[in-house]
């Protein structure tokens, strides 16, 4: 018995400040069609898939950054994604900057089924970087300036043949993200990331080390929660800032089973048998049999680390 979902990860190459939504959507449609031609059931797009990674730019007047946000989804620019998905019978997950009707700003991901219904919405909880201009940085990372922390928690949805969850970029660095979804029986976590190749605060840190961190987080999340993880990069040089590639699909054993080879638009595909999650969920990671929550209190009662007194 197998419950195979053929997953496509549609890695984006760089998106420049001057690239229109229409131009970008055309690139995403190209990859969606490629995925559908390959009989994929779902295609995952990257973080801020419609625009350049605009949090690298400081703007005193936050209102001036609203042009990077989507009011309403679908909207005129993205409707072709929904129409084509319905026509081709493929689901998709898209990450974009959301401006809500009541003027809240989130880094948001949606899960859309094969009938083009939005069945899930997630808003990025862990916002890295800072809210004010920091001159000591080689470049800025102002997600805390332009987004509010997500207000939806880490939900999962039973759809398209399995239990699916989402998270965004920096979320993958926090084990709590995967564990909260693991405690809901997640079988496939889909995430997008826009991650600088180098560290703005540690120039000596190599690209190889940064890629190691990237894959380590996702592989650990997959294995420790007995689920598949699909990670989708925005890669390449955006306005002189290099973003890492490394899009991948990882099995419940934490092994990378598909890996992007380029820094461009690239579709990678893998048949993810969701039943492969069952063995580890019933043995090594049978949470109910092995976890001792009476000892875990600090994880949700204390925010920062408090070392013992000197
Ligand atoms: N980008 C980066 C990420 O978490 C970062 C920011 C990089 C934080 C490296 C810490 C270390 O992958 C986004 N968009 O979250």
């Amino acid at each position: 018995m197998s419950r195979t979902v053929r997953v496509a990860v549609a890695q984006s190459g760089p998106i420049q400040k001057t690239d229109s939504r229409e131009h970008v959507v055309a690139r995403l449609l190209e990859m969606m069609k490629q995925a559908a031609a390959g009989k994929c059931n779902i295609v995952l797009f990257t973080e801020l898939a419609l625009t350049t990674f605009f949090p690298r730019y400081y703007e005193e007047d936050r209102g001036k950054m609203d042009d990077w946000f989507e009011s309403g989804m679908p909207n005129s620019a993205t409707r072709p994604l929904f129409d084509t998905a319905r026509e081709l019978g493929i689901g998709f997950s898209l990450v974009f900057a959301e401006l809500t009707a009541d003027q809240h700003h989130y880094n948001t991901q949606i899960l859309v089924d094969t009938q083009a219904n939005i069945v899930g919405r997630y808003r990025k909880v862990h916002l890295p970087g800072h809210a004010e201009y920091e001159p000591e940085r080689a470049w800025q990372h102002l997600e805390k300036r332009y987004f509010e922390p997500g207000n939806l928690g880490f939900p999962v949805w039973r759809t398209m043949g399995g239990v699916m969850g989402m998270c965004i970029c920096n979320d993958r660095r926090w084990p709590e993200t995967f564990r909260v979804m693991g405690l809901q029986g997640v079988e496939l976590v889909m995430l997008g990331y826009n991650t600088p190749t180098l560290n703005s605060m540690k120039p000596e840190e190599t690209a190889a080390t940064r890629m190691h961190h990237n894959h380590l987080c996702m592989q650990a999340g997959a294995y420790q929660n007995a689920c598949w993880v699909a990670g989708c990069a925005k890669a390449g040089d955006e306005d002189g800032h290099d973003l890492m590639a490394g899009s991948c699909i990882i099995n419940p054993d934490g092994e990378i089973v598909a890996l992007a080879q380029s820094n461009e638009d690239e579709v990678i595909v893998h048949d993810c048998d969701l039943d492969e999650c069952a063995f580890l969920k019933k043995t090594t990671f049978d949470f109910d049999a092995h976890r001792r929550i009476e000892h875990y209190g600090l994880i949700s009662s204390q925010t920062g680390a408090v070392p013992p007194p000197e």
Side-chain angles (χ1 to χ4, degrees):
M1 164 69 176
S2 84
R3 269 179 312 131
T4 296
V5 177
R6 181 165 292 179
V7 176
V9 169
Q11 172 178 286
S12 284
I15 299 176
Q16 305 310 335
K17 286 177 84 167
T18 51
D19 288 339
S20 69
R21 296 288 199 285
E22 287 69 22
H23 168 78
V24 174
V25 167
R27 286 171 48 189
L28 301 181
L29 280 172
E30 209 39 55
M31 292 194 281
M32 177 183 278
K33 288 171 186 170
Q34 190 184 332
K39 306 254 182 293
C40 294
N41 304 109
I42 190 164
V43 55
L44 167 64
F45 294 115
T46 189
E47 178 183 25
L48 295 181
L50 301 172
T51 63
T52 196
F53 185 73
F54 63 85
R56 71 167 70 89
Y57 303 110
Y58 178 77
E59 174 52 61
E60 180 59 32
D61 172 1
R62 286 174 177 74
K64 286 190 181 157
M65 299 302 268
D66 282 358
D67 287 349
W68 295 113
F69 288 73
E70 310 302 319
S71 314
M73 183 57 68
N75 52 32
S76 58
T78 54
R79 182 162 301 286
L81 281 170
F82 288 73
D83 294 347
T84 303
R86 185 185 305 107
E87 184 189 315
L88 298 176
I90 189 169
F92 67 95
S93 184
L94 181 74
V95 190
F96 56 94
E98 176 188 19
L99 177 53
T100 65
D102 53 352
Q103 298 305 301
H104 290 283
H105 298 72
Y106 297 109
N107 189 339
T108 296
Q109 186 169 357
I110 54 174
L111 183 56
V112 183
D113 71 12
T114 55
Q115 309 304 315
N117 303 306
I118 297 178
V119 295
R121 184 181 296 264
Y122 168 73
R123 289 168 173 155
K124 186 174 184 177
V125 165
H126 299 99
L127 299 171
H130 45 105
E132 301 305 329
Y133 188 81
E134 293 185 357
E136 71 277 14
R137 286 174 179 263
W139 57 84
Q140 304 298 302
H141 195 115
L142 291 155
E143 292 193 63
K144 287 184 181 358
R145 185 175 186 80
Y146 301 128
F147 300 119
E148 297 169 57
N151 61 343
L152 302 174
F154 300 105
V156 302
W157 295 270
R158 191 177 290 281
T159 181
M160 290 179 273
V163 179
M164 301 192 177
M166 302 185 278
C167 67
I168 302 173
C169 203
N170 194 255
D171 286 322
R172 74 191 184 290
R173 298 182 193 276
W174 304 96
E176 296 87 344
T177 301
F178 289 102
R179 183 46 48 90
V180 170
M181 289 190 274
L183 285 165
Q184 301 171 78
V186 75
E187 295 172 317
L188 170 61
V189 174
M190 290 173 278
L191 66 94
Y193 58 90
N194 290 194
T195 303
T197 305
L198 298 175
N199 188 330
S200 62
M201 311 276 277
K202 187 180 177 187
E204 68 273 23
E205 187 170 75
T206 66
T209 297
R210 301 264 288 178
M211 184 60 80
H212 160 68
H213 293 157
N214 173 38
H215 287 150
L216 178 65
C217 296
M218 294 190 281
Q219 289 178 270
Y223 171 61
Q224 291 171 338
N225 296 282
C227 64
W228 292 85
V229 172
C232 184
K234 166 103 72 56
D237 179 333
E238 289 192 341
D239 195 19
H241 298 85
D242 198 64
L243 297 173
M244 70 169 63
S247 301
C248 57
I249 299 173
I250 297 165
N251 70 17
D253 285 317
E255 295 161 325
I256 295 176
V257 293
L259 179 65
Q261 300 303 307
S262 76
N263 289 6
E264 296 298 328
D265 290 7
E266 178 181 350
V267 178
I268 58 173
V269 175
H270 189 79
D271 284 348
C272 301
D273 178 358
L274 302 185
D275 282 346
E276 283 181 25
C277 303
F279 177 74
L280 283 173
K281 286 186 190 293
K282 287 182 188 144
T283 55
T284 309
F285 295 111
D286 176 347
F287 290 165
D288 196 42
H290 302 309
R291 296 182 71 240
R292 304 301 317 176
I293 60 171
E294 65 271 24
H295 298 298
Y296 301 162
L298 285 187
I299 290 178
S300 63
S301 63
Q302 180 179 308
T303 303
V306 179
E310 298 288 340

